[in-house]
Amino acid sequence: MSLLDYFRASKPKSAAIAKERLQILVAHERTERNRPSYLPQLQKELLEVIRKYVHVDQEAISVKFEQDENQETLELNIVLPDFQQEEKRVNI
Amino acid sequence: MARIIVVTSGKGGVGKTTTSAAIAMGLAKKGHKTAVIDFDVGLRNLDLIMGCERRVVYDFINVINGEASLNQALIRDKNCNQLFILPASQTRDKDALTLEGVGRVLEELAKEFKYIVCDSPAGIEKGANLALYYADDAFVVTNPEVSSVRDSDRMLGILASKSRRAERNEEPVREYLLLTRYDPNRVKSGEMLGLDDVQDILSLQLLGIIPESKSVLTASNAGIPVILDDKSEAGLAYQDVVARYLGEDRPHRFIDDKKGFFRKLFGGRL
């Protein structure tokens, strides 16, 4: 900090903003990258099977892939269109 | 055993070719027979940075296509007889570079050379993927700037999944960080990401910090790799990088600002 800086109005430090933006972005991109490549296909085929029995929208199915040190979890979340809009979860 | 080094970054203009030229020269100056290959098909520039642009007769693609032998295409450096340059082709046909062809050339080079430095083009297209495919070591060149850090992270993902070592489930490519165009004064005033900020995100083994330096342009103007400039901070920083890569333990420098008392007093604005 220089003498003149001392008298200048304190500005937000842009490097801190840059770091924060990067941390969020990179974390997001890393999880995307680690997803198995078959996920979109899996989602499509599952939807086809389910549609044989119940009418659900594309958005009614979400496929989430999570990874930690000792296990990988594939979470399928299917919202069935019944009266209560109740959620049923299937974990593989 | 030859070691194949890829100099990569994803983003353009961060200093890949400058770094390739500098470290190839540094390794050769240490007595290791080194070849440096320009993978930027269509936009060759390594020959200019190395100052051998007028001696290019045959190129990488000619060798792959069998139109010239490797020995005909390799250009011996004028400053160091242990260093050879394999220029890129100016052809616009990017498909001229093939996985099999590149593999063949690298295999032949590996018989004669200790280090093979692959200067990757920017982007994540074919040329960049081929430059890193056969690599044993990766020098990830990064500027302390958001888009460069993001792209470097992207390249790390590609190294971990698309390299030959990854495909064969071998020991992964060794990844090293080179932080270039670093300005300690701007880091200190909070205007530029610092080493710690970048490392919090990338966490790589640091080979060196290359400070922003006028001598890099001077060196490229003259076609002499900046590492040969003993008076320049960038040159000295590259010398450190090569020494560290070869296993020497050297403390990092050029991290802190070195302004004099009066410039500090007036914030460097006078």
Side-chain angles (χ1 to χ4, degrees):
Chain A
M1 183 68 87
S2 73
L3 195 61
L4 286 185
D5 277 338
Y6 186 76
F7 295 109
R8 283 189 206 111
S10 68
K11 283 175 274 175
K13 302 290 185 199
S14 63
I17 301 168
K19 186 183 180 185
E20 196 187 320
R21 289 173 62 216
L22 262 174
Q23 277 175 322
I24 295 166
L25 181 71
V26 165
H28 177 72
E29 287 181 344
R30 281 180 189 161
T31 45
E32 290 280 301
R33 190 194 298 158
N34 291 332
R35 284 154 61 104
S37 54
Y38 58 74
L39 279 189
Q41 186 66 22
L42 176 74
Q43 182 159 0
K44 188 169 159 272
E45 287 178 22
L46 275 171
L47 190 68
E48 281 164 14
V49 172
I50 292 163
R51 273 193 176 153
K52 279 186 184 174
Y53 305 95
V54 213
H55 182 77
V56 288
D57 294 332
Q58 178 81 48
E59 298 78 53
I61 294 189
S62 69
V63 181
K64 242 167 73 182
F65 180 78
E66 273 169 26
Q67 215 175 7
D68 59 35
E69 271 160 31
N70 37 33
Q71 64 173 3
E72 294 174 345
T73 314
L74 187 61
E75 187 183 288
L76 304 177
N77 198 349
I78 306 163
V79 184
L80 296 173
D82 60 10
F83 299 113
Q84 290 90 32
Q85 288 285 317
E86 161 189 323
E87 285 197 7
K88 299 206 170 140
R89 270 185 185 194
V90 191
N91 270 314
I92 297 177
Chain B
M1 261 310 263
R3 216 77 205 146
I4 300 174
I5 302 169
V6 61
V7 178
T8 187
S9 71
K11 190 177 182 298
V14 297
K16 280 184 299 298
T17 301
T18 299
T19 299
S20 299
I23 61 158
M25 177 62 81
L27 290 166
K29 279 273 174 192
K30 291 265 189 184
H32 304 291
K33 200 170 177 190
T34 303
V36 56
I37 308 176
D38 189 348
F39 273 76
D40 204 345
V41 172
L43 289 171
R44 79 164 168 238
N45 273 322
L46 180 69
D47 54 337
L48 265 177
I49 302 299
M50 302 289 303
C52 66
E53 70 278 7
R54 294 174 65 178
R55 291 196 287 146
V56 176
V57 182
Y58 296 109
D59 58 54
F60 196 11
I61 303 289
N62 291 140
V63 179
I64 288 177
N65 292 343
E67 294 149 6
S69 73
L70 198 46
N71 283 330
Q72 285 176 302
L74 283 171
I75 303 167
R76 188 189 283 267
D77 186 82
K78 56 181 186 252
N79 294 302
C80 180
N81 62 9
Q82 293 287 80
L83 178 59
F84 290 80
I85 299 117
L86 184 55
S89 147
Q90 285 285 52
T91 169
R92 271 164 287 170
D93 181 15
K94 295 253 174 194
D95 293 329
L97 223 50
T98 61
L99 189 66
E100 184 270 334
V102 171
R104 226 177 334 110
V105 172
L106 289 177
E107 204 175 307
E108 201 181 330
L109 283 170
K111 290 179 196 153
E112 245 189 280
F113 289 87
K114 180 78 207 301
Y115 292 103
I116 302 165
V117 178
C118 303
D119 181 21
S120 172
I124 49 173
E125 303 292 316
K126 195 171 182 186
N129 283 321
L130 286 176
L132 68 80
Y133 184 75
Y134 294 98
D136 300 304
D137 300 313
F139 287 14
V140 181
V141 181
T142 308
N143 289 171
E145 178 269 328
V146 283
S147 54
S148 174
V149 176
R150 177 201 210 171
D151 288 0
S152 293
D153 190 68
R154 189 84 194 273
M155 292 319 293
L156 294 174
I158 294 174
L159 282 163
S161 61
K162 301 263 169 67
S163 61
R164 180 169 69 168
R165 282 174 172 270
E167 280 183 4
R168 291 183 173 177
N169 262 325
E170 293 172 354
E171 187 195 324
V173 178
R174 279 187 216 159
E175 301 156 343
Y176 300 97
L177 176 66
L178 253 96
L179 200 52
T180 56
R181 309 200 67 163
Y182 198 78
D183 185 339
N185 298 324
R186 302 195 75 186
V187 171
K188 201 178 177 198
S189 61
E191 299 170 55
M192 182 183 266
L193 291 166
L195 170 65
D196 295 341
D197 300 324
V198 175
Q199 282 292 53
D200 276 351
I201 292 159
L202 298 179
S203 23
L204 294 173
Q205 187 177 333
L206 179 68
L207 267 189
I209 292 166
I210 315 297
E212 176 75 60
S213 164
K214 287 180 178 164
S215 55
V216 172
L217 182 59
T218 314
S220 84
N221 286 343
I224 301 164
V226 70
I227 195 168
L228 294 177
D229 185 352
D230 287 326
K231 291 187 191 71
S232 116
E233 286 194 341
L236 296 173
Y238 275 120
Q239 291 173 14
D240 286 355
V241 164
V242 171
R244 287 189 198 106
Y245 175 70
L246 293 173
E248 226 177 279
D249 189 19
R250 289 196 184 182
H252 287 284
R253 44 181 173 166
F254 313 118
I255 302 176
D256 299 317
D257 73 325
K258 42 152 186 56
K259 277 194 297 190
F261 171 73
F262 281 102
R263 283 187 67 194
K264 252 185 188 154
L265 190 67
F266 296 109
R269 281 172 178 83
L270 294 180

